[in-house]
């Protein structure tokens, strides 16, 4: 008999003579002539209630069925007389598929802390909260592809192992097959000769440079894949391995880029609100009471847009004592970003035209020679969700910026070539997928939106 997912069973329009359900036991309660089992199969937040009457042969085997065990139940789906659920399953047969040692099963009925659940990441998705979270993560991924497909973008797979540093921030994980990793200061060529690629190799921090090459061929592309940064900052917003969505569009300027970023964030948020209603409700009840109001705002309001210089002026005039003082030329910190979104504008904010000194070499230099055509999209609670820019399409300016940044022109010959052969204005950005999930669920630690998080000194599972 074909298995019915619990989600389907609970959404049934009418009772059913016979269905087969498989899942894990959440609780067992014994009454006089029968027992109740609550079973969850991960297809939705809700459990199905199973009634096992003392009169059926399988009743005897119930002794071995404890919380956490995997079971298979066949029976009739019938209207439930009890409150709290519309349907219940009257078992005719019950089979234990995998027992769970009741004494050592770590998930109890009470609520566990996020910190504790991280230490059992292999069982974490069996809880209500994390089941909901990872269903939302899955649905959001789907929404990303749908958004871009609907707009004529092509999905591009950029390499995970690269020989260049896109951001120039030196936060690279090195890839080598050598028993000893050459030290950073050693002469480059000779040491890497014996290595697998014959040159220094790293895990990518961004697929942008490669995406630019394809945008200048296919017109509009996006990447959606893992990126890696050896940032030794143990913050609740940074992971060593995270997923980034990077659209790149030819013949597009900074304005177009801001429009696309705003459209994407609004659209993804609305998609999750439409498709993950019951899972979101859990976060609105237990994690963040203002979640739904915040999401309405993000999905529905147009975002504030202002140049970096104005943002700095607002922050300085606020009279608020920030931990990090702001001056023109300093990078905005999360506390400043959140102030702009939460206290000043009370909605998402796009800040553009940042000083060139604090942004990477590839951003287009503005006519003032001081700022670049950068844009960051900031959201309440999280701060920076998107970082992007119009790209420098002028060969001579780009060469100067590479050299000024202490990088080697020769390493970027292919990137520069695109400016030699049919160069066009183009723009793109990166959206941190985990930051989006934090925003949409109200979860405040990035570790709690990643199935198996990687952060400094943490590489379990
Ligand atoms: O602002 P970033 O560094 O921009 C880039 O990498 C560009 N090359 C993207 C592009 O233009 N194609 O990173 C983009 C976003 C950030 O806004 C943030 O949401 C997220 O990626 N991010 C991180 N998320 C989790 N952990 C980290 N360590 C992150 N670093 C950046
Ligand atoms: Mg950034």
């Amino acid at each position: 008999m074909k298995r019915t997912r619990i989600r389907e069973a609970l959404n049934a329009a009418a009772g059913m003579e016979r269905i087969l359900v498989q899942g894990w036991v959440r609780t067992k309660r014994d009454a006089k002539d029968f027992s109740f089992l609550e079973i969850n199969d991960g297809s939705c937040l809700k459990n199905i209630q199973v009634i096992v009457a003392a009169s059926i042969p399988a009743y005897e085997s119930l002794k071995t069925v404890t919380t956490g065990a995997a079971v298979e139940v066949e029976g009739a789906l019938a209207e439930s007389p009890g409150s709290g659920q519309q349907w219940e399953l009257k078992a005719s047969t019950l089979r234990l598929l995998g027992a769970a040692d009741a004494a050592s099963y770590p998930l109890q009925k009470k609520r566990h802390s996020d910190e504790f659940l991280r230490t059992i990441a292999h069982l974490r998705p069996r809880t209500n909260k994390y089941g909901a979270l990872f269903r939302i993560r899955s649905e959001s991924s789907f929404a990303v592809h749908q958004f871009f497909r609907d707009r004529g973008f092509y999905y591009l797979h950029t390499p995970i192992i690269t020989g260049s540093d896109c951001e120039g921030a030196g936060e690279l994980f090195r890839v080598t097959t050598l028993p000893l990793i050459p030290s950073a200061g050693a002469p480059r060529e000779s040491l890497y000769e014996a290595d697998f690629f014959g040159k220094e190799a790293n895990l990518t921090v961004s697929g942008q440079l490669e995406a630019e090459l394809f945008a200048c061929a296919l017109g509009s592309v996006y990447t959606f894949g893992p990126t890696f940064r050896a940032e030794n900052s143990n913050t609740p917003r940074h992971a060593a391995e995270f997923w980034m969505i990077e659209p790149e569009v030819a013949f597009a300027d900074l304005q177009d880029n801001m429009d696309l970023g705003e459209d994407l964030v609004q659209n993804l948020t609305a998609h999750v609100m439409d498709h993950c209603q019951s899972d979101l409700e859990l976060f609105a009840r237990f994690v963040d009471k203002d979640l739904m109001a915040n999401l309405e705002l993000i999905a529905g309001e147009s975002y504030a847009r202002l140049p970096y210089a104005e943002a700095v002026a607002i922050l300085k005039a606020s009279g608020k004592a920030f931990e990090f003082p702001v001056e023109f030329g300093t990078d905005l910190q999360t506390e400043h970003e959140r102030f702009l979104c939460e206290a000043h504008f009370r909605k998402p904010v796009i800040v553009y035209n940042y000083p060139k000194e604090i942004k990477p070499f590839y951003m287009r230099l503005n006519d003032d020679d001081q700022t670049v055509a950068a844009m960051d999209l900031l959201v309440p609670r999280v701060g920076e969700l998107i970082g992007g820019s119009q790209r420098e399409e002028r060969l001579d300016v780009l060469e100067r910026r590479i050299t000024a940044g202490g990088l080697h022109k020769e390493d970027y010959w292919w990137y520069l070539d695109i400016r030699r052969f049919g160069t066009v204005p183009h723009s793109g950005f990166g959206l941190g997928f985990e930051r989006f999930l934090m925003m949409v669920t109200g979860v405040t630690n990035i570790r709690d939106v990643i199935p198996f998080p990687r952060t400094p000194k943490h590489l379990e599972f």
Side-chain angles (χ1 to χ4, degrees), residues 353-372:
N353 290 348
Y354 283 73
K356 64 180 178 188
E357 286 79 15
I358 58 172
K359 291 291 185 187
F361 69 91
Y362 54 71
M363 296 191 174
R364 192 178 195 282
L365 191 63
N366 286 326
D367 292 343
D368 62 12
D369 204 31
Q370 299 301 312
T371 61
V372 286

Side-chain angles (χ1 to χ4, degrees), residues 359 376 384 387:
K359 291 291 185 187
D376 277 7
E384 180 188 339

